[in-house]
Amino acid sequence: MTLATLDGMTSHKTAQTMKPATAAKKLGVYLEATPAEFREGVVTRDELNALQADPPEWLRELRRTGPHPRPVVAAKLGVSIGGLTRGGITEPLTTEQIDALKAESPDWLVRERATQAEVRKETVRVKENKG
C-alpha cells in the first residue's frame, strides 16, 4: 500500500508557473495589450514554451504591430531604455509610432543612437583587451 502511494505521488509533479507579467516579459509583449484570459491566469513553463514555439494569432499580431513594451521599443530604435526616457518616451509604442519616430529622426534619437553606438564600441574594446 505504501509503495502505491509513493508511486502516485511521484507522478503528480507540480508544473512551474509564472505570473502573466513575467510571461509577457519573456514573450516580449506589453502585458496590458494581451487577451484578458492571459492577463488573469497563470502561465506554466510548458504553456510559455508552446506560445514561443507556435505563437497564436494574438501574439503574432502584438509582436508585429504592438503596442510594444519599452525594452522592445528601445531595441527597435537602437537606444537604451534610459535614452527613451531622456527623449520623453515613457509609454509603450506601436510599430507605426516607432517607424514614424525613425522617419522623423528627432535630435534626441540621433543623440541617443550615437551614445548607444559608442557604448557598443567600448564594450567590444574592453572585451578584446580582456582576451
Side-chain angles (χ1 to χ4, degrees):
M1 192 104 136
T2 306
L3 274 177
T5 306
L6 287 176
D7 286 346
M9 288 175 66
T10 57
S11 66
H12 293 303
K13 193 170 113 182
T14 305
Q16 183 183 7
T17 61
M18 63 192 81
K19 293 178 184 175
T22 303
K25 190 173 188 176
K26 289 180 181 288
L27 292 169
V29 295
Y30 181 54
L31 177 63
E32 300 306 316
T34 62
E37 59 270 13
F38 180 86
R39 287 192 311 271
E40 294 164 3
V42 293
V43 180
T44 66
R45 176 71 55 199
D46 289 343
E47 289 169 336
L48 178 70
N49 291 341
L51 286 169
Q52 289 172 325
D54 185 20
E57 182 53 36
W58 67 263
L59 181 54
R60 287 194 304 270
E61 184 63 22
L62 259 183
R63 287 176 168 169
R64 190 170 33 252
T65 63
H68 303 288
R70 290 169 35 101
V72 173
V73 173
K76 286 180 178 279
L77 289 173
V79 300
S80 67
I81 294 174
L84 283 180
T85 304
R86 287 187 291 276
I89 307 296
T90 58
E91 297 296 318
L93 297 180
T94 63
T95 300
E96 189 176 317
Q97 292 168 314
I98 292 168
D99 290 344
L101 264 175
K102 286 178 179 177
E104 289 169 23
S105 198
D107 290 343
W108 72 265
L109 183 56
V110 172
R111 231 181 3 262
E112 292 299 334
R113 282 180 160 174
T115 300
Q116 251 336 71
E118 287 302 314
V119 167
R120 281 192 291 275
K121 272 199 272 188
E122 181 62 12
T123 302
V124 169
R125 187 190 68 74
V126 167
K127 213 177 210 178
E128 287 173 350
N129 286 342
K130 281 185 178 178

